[in-house]
Amino acid sequence: MVSVPSGERSRGIGALVTGNLLGGVAVASGIAVGGLLLERLGGTSVAGLGQAASVLGAAVAAVPLAGVAARRGRRRSLTLGYAIAVLGGALIVTAAVVAQLAVLLAGLALFGVGQAVNLQSRYAAADGAAPGNRARTMSIVIWATTIGSVAGPNLSEVADRFGRWLGLPGLAGPYVFSIVSFALAGAVVTVFLRRPTAPSSTPSAPGSGQAAPAAPAAPSAPSSGPAAPASGEAVTSARAVGAVAALRWAAADPAARFAVVLIAVAHAMMVMVMVMTPLHMQHHGMSLQLVGVVISLHVLGMYALSPVFGWLADRIGAVRTACGGMLLLVAAVTLGFVAASAGEGSTLTALALIVLGLGWSVSLISASALLAGTAADDVRVPLQGATDAGMNYAGAAAAALAGPILAAGGFQAVNVAAAAILVPAVAAAIAVLRRGRAATKEGDDERRERVRP
């Protein structure tokens, strides 16, 4: 394991925090207007395809970026991702000018890679963190997205006016802001993330911050090979484990399986509801400015309390915290259904989006910590990439279905469909809890045997 001086680690965390702040501005600026731009060019039924293209791009990029991180280091992986997102933003602006739906979808797919980079930075922060501080370390970097993500949608109107001043069509201006923000994020990571943090060598017990025996290794290449160089460019063991092998390993471990499934379904639920909310609000006569406020509150829920949820996961266990996140997701879609059924205005819709963001945050942080704590060193980075790919594939499918569901059944149907997505995570949680009770019973039996005369 590479020893990283505290100054180097602090600078690296600072670079990740700054990059996530700028990346948050870029992503959120686009999210606020992406569906509206798609609706303008293709109609309501294809409005969800914009977010679908973005999350699909993030999904496709997740595994290759993890491969780059494993071979060349986190810095090169994150910088490459931000550069691809800049190219995507430029294509979106071009598509708005020439009014070409296909070009717009291609640009949104590349733009989505920026979100994949923002998410993978949480794993970069967790590399080398002590088991008892892993969730909190992740949550600090995730929290940094709060400022940018809340500011982004509220800049939509200003950015739109700026774009028009430049002679661009309406709704293209926010993507100009996104291009600049992604470029700055990439520059910060390139300059300051000189040494990645070192990975912790021992997985922790599910739901706790204590070290546990190493997990069984996934099928892999022989373990002989060079150790991580002193420059810190390598972030994982020299053994090469593919994404499929890593997922097979996770499928055999109930805690890892629960983490992988929960991350995917929580993201799918959030994407399905969030991407249709601006359309639902505009269809009911609400302004673009009000849409920006509601999306900002939603993003605030996603990131603002991340350190609290990280502390909670380290304190009471990742599994218990994750179950609380699922309860929040259920509450969110219930509120959204009630708001749509009762014809309520922005207040109840905003509350539903805030709770949805909170549920996503709790689920993501606790499941990511659980994943990092259960995976062996040679499995960790490939499994992280495969998990992020899975969450984005799930989000892409949810976004693609959201438009037709909204057109057919309204916002009520969108919330009902989102609730159904959670079922696999509930089943996986039950399996983990049953294993935990069985392990507790086995431990009690062993203690009774030891004290028996």
Side-chain angles (χ1 to χ4, degrees):
M1 186 171 78
V2 181
S3 176
V4 181
S6 60
E8 293 279 1
R9 178 167 175 79
S10 298
R11 186 175 69 175
I13 296 296
L16 293 171
V17 166
T18 305
N20 255 24
L21 189 155
L22 292 167
V25 170
V27 171
S29 295
I31 284 176
V33 300
L36 299 174
L37 188 56
L38 257 294
E39 186 179 41
R40 174 179 297 178
L41 295 183
T44 301
S45 63
V46 302
L49 293 180
Q51 187 67 9
S54 293
V55 295
L56 184 61
V60 171
V63 172
L65 287 176
V68 173
R71 294 188 305 271
R72 308 298 297 274
R74 299 283 190 185
R75 177 171 64 91
R76 297 192 184 187
S77 173
L78 299 179
T79 301
L80 174 61
Y82 283 132
I84 294 172
V86 168
L87 176 60
L91 276 179
I92 292 170
V93 173
T94 301
V97 172
V98 300
Q100 287 294 322
L101 182 62
V103 177
L104 177 58
L105 290 172
L108 287 167
L110 296 178
F111 185 84
V113 177
Q115 177 68 359
V117 176
N118 286 348
L119 288 171
Q120 288 202 7
S121 65
R122 74 192 190 276
Y123 294 127
D127 289 342
N133 295 323
R134 185 177 291 122
R136 275 171 286 183
T137 304
M138 284 182 167
S139 67
I140 289 170
V141 173
I142 294 174
W143 172 85
T145 312
T146 305
I147 300 173
S149 296
V150 171
N154 285 302
L155 292 173
S156 296
E157 196 163 337
V158 174
D160 189 49
R161 288 200 298 267
F162 178 72
R164 292 175 188 274
W165 179 78
L166 291 175
L168 297 172
L171 302 177
Y175 286 100
V176 175
F177 278 28
S178 296
I179 291 170
V180 174
S181 295
F182 275 140
L184 290 174
V188 168
V189 169
T190 300
V191 173
F192 295 106
L193 192 65
R194 304 300 298 178
R195 292 168 63 96
T197 54
S200 56
S201 59
T202 307
S204 60
S208 75
Q210 303 301 320
S220 65
S223 60
S224 61
S231 65
E233 285 299 319
V235 298
T236 188
S237 111
R239 291 192 288 178
V241 176
V244 175
L247 287 173
R248 281 202 302 265
W249 179 89
D253 183 275
R257 183 172 65 243
F258 172 50
V260 171
V261 172
L262 179 58
I263 287 173
V265 302
H267 192 63
M269 289 181 69
M270 185 274 294
V271 168
M272 175 171 278
V273 175
M274 180 271 295
V275 74
M276 289 297 104
T277 298
L279 275 71
H280 166 69
M281 294 179 68
Q282 287 231 310
H283 291 170
H284 286 76
M286 302 178 205
S287 66
L288 179 61
Q289 185 175 7
L290 186 55
V291 170
V293 170
V294 170
I295 295 298
S296 293
L297 291 173
H298 165 65
V299 176
L300 188 67
M302 290 174 65
Y303 300 111
L305 296 181
S306 295
V308 175
F309 300 144
W311 172 85
L312 192 64
D314 286 334
R315 179 77 174 179
I316 69 172
V319 172
R320 292 189 184 94
T321 308
C323 291
M326 291 192 296
L327 290 176
L328 285 172
L329 291 171
V330 171
V333 294
T334 302
L335 287 170
F337 181 87
V338 171
S341 300
E344 293 286 344
S346 59
T347 302
L348 193 54
T349 301
L351 178 60
L353 266 287
I354 291 171
V355 177
L356 181 67
L358 292 172
W360 178 89
S361 181
V362 175
S363 300
L364 181 73
I365 291 170
S366 56
S368 297
L370 185 62
L371 195 66
T374 57
D377 280 349
D378 58 322
V379 179
R380 181 178 297 114
V381 175
L383 183 57
Q384 289 166 349
T387 299
D388 279 1
M391 74 180 282
N392 284 298
Y393 281 127
L401 292 171
I405 291 173
L406 180 70
F411 202 53
Q412 299 99 317
V414 171
N415 283 275
V416 170
I421 294 173
L422 190 60
V423 172
V426 174
I430 291 172
V432 174
L433 294 173
R434 282 178 176 172
R435 190 184 75 158
R437 285 197 294 269
T440 300
K441 184 178 184 299
E442 182 179 346
D444 291 342
D445 291 342
E446 290 178 357
R447 284 191 292 271
R448 282 195 291 270
E449 287 292 329
R450 285 196 298 266
V451 300
R452 181 176 297 173

